[in-house]
Amino acid sequence: MKAAVVKALGEPLVIEERPDPVPGPGQVRIRVEASGLCHTDIHAAHGDWPVRPTPPFVPGHEGVGIVEELGAGVTHLSVGQRVAVPWLGWACGRCEHCLSGWETLCEQQVNTGYGVDGAYAEKMLAHADFAQPVPDGVDPREAAPLTCAGVTTYKALKVAGIGPTDLVAISGIGGLGHLAVQYAKIAGATVAAIDISDDKLRLAADLGADILIDARKEDPATVLQRYGGAHAALALAVSEESFATALAGLRRGGRLVMVALPADGAVQVPIFSTVLGGTSVIGSIVGTRQDLAEVFQLHAAGRTRVIYETRPLSSVNECVDEVLKGTVKARVVFEM
Ligand SMILES: [Zn+2]
Ligand SMILES: [Zn+2]
């Protein structure tokens, strides 16, 4: 099978031929149909973050494909079934986080395409308990972006606790943001979309955003404050500055949910306005298996649209460059 491999951090990926992986107990082997490119894969390949993956490894945590072999003890999945393999590749199931519905915070978790080989390959392994069944009728190329971009923004809006009378600012309308706009609209909120690209603001409008803010031309915080400030803001752009403006755009009691991960990023939180305004800054990382099941359920019901473009895996390095330049319209999905 072919796989795109990070041989050394910061170097281009190399397409190589590898033997088919063999599922161990509790695992399944999947024939990958579609695999999304998430910004995290680029951070992984570049070794941007404090905890670095160890090369050689195969990135990719938006893998969707067909189960083709069951490891020992796997009884709830069957050969021929379509599943998705998210970032949360495994969690212990026993710690306080796992037991309280926060498996995404498990200290022992294993991350797909980071701690173990991921979905930039024709075949991959997954822990059967964390391979999410994809409902019938959902296109694998659409399921792929939902597996990280979808579940991550869906969860972030849950964490933000938004309601139908809230103003929600979505900062960054890319692979994540275009889905965040839709989930916020499904929740009934008024949505302010913030970006620095005409195409992306147009896309946000298409998807139902009520207020469009071009951060090149106006200060998003000032615009949001004209509406009384946002009840919640999702920081989805890999830009430190956008976190600060989203924070400044909150109303009293507002919540900034941090999702994007600019390497070495930091935000100054002013103590005075945080105390008097009762504002919160919250981090949110991906989502649980239940969150992903809900994301698929919404899509199967026709309530979300996934904007993506397909590419061959052989173009992985060009695609990385395009994502870094911000010239990709939404999500790149590799078709195997
Ligand atoms: Zn991701
Ligand atoms: Zn755990």
Side-chain angles (χ1 to χ4, degrees):
M1 65 137 191
K2 280 191 175 51
V5 183
V6 176
K7 299 280 225 180
L9 299 177
E11 298 290 318
L13 281 74
V14 177
I15 306 284
E16 66 177 31
E17 194 63 38
R18 291 185 155 193
D20 286 1
V22 178
Q27 292 185 318
V28 291
R29 185 175 66 233
I30 295 155
R31 176 173 57 75
V32 179
E33 299 173 290
S35 178
L37 193 173
C38 177
H39 211 122
T40 291
D41 302 329
I42 302 176
H43 291 308
H46 291 177
D48 281 340
W49 293 337
V51 183
R52 290 176 171 178
T54 312
F57 68 95
V58 178
H61 55 274
E62 288 187 343
V64 176
I66 302 294
V67 174
E68 63 171 21
E69 191 180 335
L70 306 176
V74 176
T75 53
H76 74 288
L77 295 178
S78 46
V79 170
Q81 188 173 359
R82 178 170 289 131
V83 294
V85 189
W87 173 250
L88 188 66
W90 181 85
C92 81
R94 296 173 194 279
C95 70
E96 71 171 280
H97 307 297
C98 284
L99 291 175
S100 59
W102 285 95
E103 61 197 19
T104 49
L105 304 182
C106 178
E107 302 253 17
Q108 295 181 61
Q109 68 184 271
V110 174
N111 298 121
T112 310
Y114 209 89
V116 292
D117 284 339
Y120 286 14
E122 290 173 328
K123 314 234 171 164
M124 72 182 300
L125 296 179
H127 286 275
D129 286 341
F130 288 81
Q132 184 71 41
V134 177
D136 288 344
V138 172
D139 188 315
R141 294 166 300 180
E142 297 185 356
L146 294 173
T147 302
C148 182
V151 75
T152 297
T153 50
Y154 181 75
K155 181 63 159 193
L157 286 163
K158 274 191 179 181
V159 166
I162 61 164
T165 56
D166 287 352
L167 172 61
V168 178
I170 309 289
S171 177
I173 309 298
L176 275 78
H178 89 282
L179 289 160
V181 167
Q182 298 176 70
Y183 295 130
K185 289 307 293 178
I186 288 171
T190 299
V191 174
I194 306 167
D195 207 284
I196 53 170
S197 139
D198 295 332
D199 282 352
K200 288 179 176 165
L201 289 169
R202 216 171 294 126
L203 172 63
D206 263 8
L207 295 169
D210 304 280
I211 300 161
L212 304 178
I213 304 174
D214 184 338
R216 290 168 304 187
K217 297 183 185 146
E218 43 192 359
D219 170 40
T222 308
V223 180
L224 291 169
Q225 291 302 345
R226 235 181 271 144
Y227 292 90
H231 294 85
L234 263 54
L236 307 178
V238 186
S239 135
E240 252 178 78
E241 199 192 334
S242 70
F243 282 63
T245 43
L247 180 62
L250 293 178
R251 74 174 60 199
R252 287 195 162 193
R255 297 165 299 278
L256 171 66
V257 184
M258 296 184 169
V259 176
L261 285 162
D264 309 317
V267 180
Q268 286 246 342
V269 178
I271 296 168
F272 195 80
S273 60
T274 302
V275 173
L276 267 72
T279 47
S280 314
V281 176
I282 315 165
S284 184
I285 176 80
V286 296
T288 63
R289 288 170 282 179
Q290 178 58 27
D291 295 319
L292 183 54
E294 291 169 18
V295 160
F296 284 157
Q297 188 186 334
L298 285 171
H299 196 65
R303 299 184 68 188
T304 49
R305 263 171 68 198
V306 180
I307 310 296
Y308 65 95
E309 42 192 296
T310 56
R311 301 289 183 82
L313 187 60
S314 56
S315 69
V316 61
N317 291 310
E318 294 86 83
C319 293
V320 165
D321 289 344
E322 287 176 43
V323 170
L324 290 176
K325 272 187 265 159
T327 53
V328 174
K329 192 170 178 206
R331 206 60 155 183
V332 167
V333 174
F334 300 115
E335 248 181 328
M336 303 299 167

